[in-house]
């Protein structure tokens, strides 16, 4: 997920530990590639190769100036995402989630945030996308332990956006045909800024 030019300079909260480091930056997989549009395989083995993949995801997310990245966005068929994203109060939260499940507000508690959204796999384009303004994600960490993250603001949007990726959904699937046309126009206009090997 694109940051929308958010500043990420404040100290981060890491309720389940820091993000893995030492990864390599990999090219971004784009919308239209089959892996982006089908559910990802659940994580069943929690080993060094999974940690290495997560480290590559973190490195790629930062190189692309994003706030979240799913494994499918670097071409890996794995239900996992990483994030470093501020909430409504600008408090950064970082984490890794394998096999995510979403819990969203219902009834009177449900309010929508229709702010702009962008995707690292469709770079250079932003449109409004209405999503609940609070989200909880539960799943597993890199050692298979239970993890839980919750938040509002951009963090809520990020948790939903990245969980969608693990299910084969891109945010363009959630907007109107008119909005998608606008998104496509922005994306095409910015194409030269994002060559096929971006952000390596």
């Amino acid at each position: 997920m694109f940051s929308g030019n958010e500043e990420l300079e404040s100290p981060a909260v890491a309720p389940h530990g820091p993000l893995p480091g030492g990864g390599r930056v990999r090219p971004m997989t784009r919308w239209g590639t089959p892996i982006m549009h089908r559910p990802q395989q659940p994580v069943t083995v929690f080993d060094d190769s999974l940690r290495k993949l997560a480290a590559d995801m973190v490195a790629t997310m930062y190189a692309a100036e994003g706030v979240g990245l799913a494994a499918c966005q670097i071409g890996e068929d794995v239900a996992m995402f990483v994030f470093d994203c501020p909430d409504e109060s600008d408090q950064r939260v970082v984490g890794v989630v394998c096999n995510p499940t979403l819990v969203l507000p219902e009834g009177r508690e449900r309010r929508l945030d229709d702010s702009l959204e962008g995707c690292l796999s469709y770079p250079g384009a932003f449109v409004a996308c209405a999503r609940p303004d609070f989200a909880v994600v539960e799943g597993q960490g890199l050692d298979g332990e239970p993890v839980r993250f919750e938040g509002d603001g951009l963090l809520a949007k990020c948790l939903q956006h990245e969980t969608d990726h693990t299910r084969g959904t891109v945010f363009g699937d959630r907007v109107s045909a008119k909005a998608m046309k606008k998104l496509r126009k922005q994306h095409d206009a910015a194409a030269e800024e994002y060559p096929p090997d971006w952000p390596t």
Side-chain angles (χ1 to χ4, degrees):
M1 181 171 170
F2 260 123
S3 68
N5 299 319
E6 295 290 330
E7 293 294 331
L8 298 178
E9 297 177 356
S10 60
V13 172
H16 297 287
L19 294 174
R24 66 183 177 92
V25 178
R26 292 165 60 170
M28 198 69 63
T29 302
R30 307 301 176 94
W31 291 7
T33 307
I35 196 171
M36 297 294 299
H37 304 282
R38 64 172 186 254
Q40 307 303 300
Q41 293 297 311
V43 178
T44 58
V45 177
F46 298 85
D47 58 8
D48 287 344
S49 64
L50 185 71
R51 185 169 290 276
K52 182 178 183 301
L53 171 58
D56 286 356
M57 291 163 62
V58 170
T60 304
M61 174 182 71
Y62 286 140
E65 299 183 357
V67 294
L69 189 84
C72 62
Q73 294 183 271
I74 56 170
E76 300 288 348
D77 190 357
V78 178
M80 174 171 68
F81 70 84
V82 301
F83 68 97
D84 180 346
C85 186
D87 63 15
E88 189 69 29
S89 66
D90 290 327
Q91 175 63 65
R92 284 172 55 210
V93 182
V94 304
V96 181
V97 186
C98 302
N99 306 323
T101 59
L102 266 178
V103 181
L104 299 173
E106 297 181 357
R108 293 183 180 179
E109 301 298 316
R110 184 180 174 91
R111 291 178 297 274
L112 295 180
D113 170 7
D114 64 352
S115 60
L116 295 180
E117 192 162 329
C119 183
L120 294 173
S121 291
Y122 204 71
F126 298 85
V127 295
C129 181
R131 295 185 186 267
D133 67 355
F134 184 83
V136 176
V137 165
E138 297 174 340
Q140 294 167 280
L142 290 174
D143 296 318
E145 77 282 10
V147 297
R148 182 181 188 277
F149 298 94
E150 64 178 52
D152 54 10
L154 185 61
L155 178 57
K157 185 159 282 208
C158 177
L159 296 175
Q160 295 171 74
H161 181 112
E162 301 307 335
T163 300
D164 270 358
H165 276 311
T166 69
R167 298 171 178 174
T169 299
V170 299
F171 91 93
D173 296 331
R174 296 189 174 277
V175 302
S176 68
K178 182 179 180 180
M180 189 61 220
K181 183 177 180 181
K182 178 181 178 182
L183 202 65
R184 191 176 296 112
K185 186 175 181 180
Q186 291 179 29
H187 170 265
D188 292 350
E192 289 188 3
E193 299 175 41
Y194 303 99
D197 62 349
W198 177 79
T200 58

